[in-house]
Amino acid sequence: MKTLKAIATYTAICFFAVTIASCSSEKKQVEDKELSSFMLGGIYFLNGYGGTDAVATMMTEANYTTDKQLVEGYKEIFQFAFEKSQGRGIKSMFKSMWDISNKKELLESINDLKTRDHNYKAWDYARIINNASMGYAANWLTKEEVKQIASEILPLAQEKFKTWEEYYTDFNKGRINWNSNDDQAASFEKIAKTITTYENSIYKILPLNPKK
């Protein structure tokens, strides 16, 4: 089902459980830990695809309407969002923005973001997922290594934040604290404010902390 990436090419570099109807009209809660772990960095992927409105349109044009279809659709665009063809540009970005030139330095940076004491941890966690995903496109990390990194960050985020709204509010504060004059600040702020409410949002289907 590789249709979504044909609808929109991912160009930004800076950056299953199935719903089953019960005998009543209620739906069982959907849970997908692997996708949820990539959703920690989803704001970068949404920005790369042109924002929440653009992604909502992608899902509509692909005729993804059920929770099951949307989960599969977001797996396609959130999990390993960067293409191997972007590897050269990603390596250049890592060097210029992070002073990272190889796998060892990338993993050291990820560990620093993971363990450092910082007011805005969602800002750190989101960058870990984004950088790990780019690390795969740069041929520094395998898919399994990226999944492992993401799986280790998810419970940390779940412990610190109750909801996606809370998580992305913290993310946006961290980004503004980093650089309030960044040319993409308005775009990220808009996504952060609408990430759980836009049409076909995966953040309405998979809560950060599923009910037990």
Side-chain angles (χ1 to χ4, degrees), residues 181-197:
N181 296 316
D182 176 59
D183 59 4
Q184 295 193 70
S187 175
F188 277 99
E189 183 173 5
K190 180 181 178 181
I191 296 172
K193 289 181 177 179
T194 61
I195 199 166
T196 63
T197 59

Side-chain angles (χ1 to χ4, degrees), residues 159-173:
E159 182 178 359
K160 191 168 183 63
F161 304 99
K162 293 180 180 179
T163 65
W164 288 118
E165 290 91 344
E166 193 176 303
Y167 176 85
Y168 275 111
T169 295
D170 186 78
F171 167 89
N172 196 52
K173 288 179 179 178

Side-chain angles (χ1 to χ4, degrees), residues 60-105:
T60 299
E61 291 181 351
N63 293 317
Y64 293 165
T65 57
T66 69
D67 287 355
K68 176 181 178 179
Q69 290 170 334
L70 289 168
V71 166
E72 292 303 318
Y74 278 93
K75 278 178 174 287
E76 186 178 329
I77 64 172
F78 275 17
Q79 295 183 200
F80 307 102
F82 299 93
E83 302 289 347
K84 292 284 189 177
S85 60
Q86 294 175 291
R88 185 174 181 178
I90 286 172
K91 288 179 178 179
S92 177
M93 182 281 300
F94 270 135
K95 181 60 179 177
S96 63
M97 295 190 67
W98 291 85
D99 196 25
I100 292 173
S101 301
N102 52 54
K103 176 178 181 176
K104 180 177 180 292
E105 292 173 350

Side-chain angles (χ1 to χ4, degrees), residues 132-150:
S133 296
M134 289 193 290
Y136 167 73
N139 284 314
W140 289 342
L141 301 175
T142 66
K143 283 189 174 182
E144 290 308 312
E145 286 174 318
V146 176
K147 289 179 181 179
Q148 180 61 36
I149 289 168

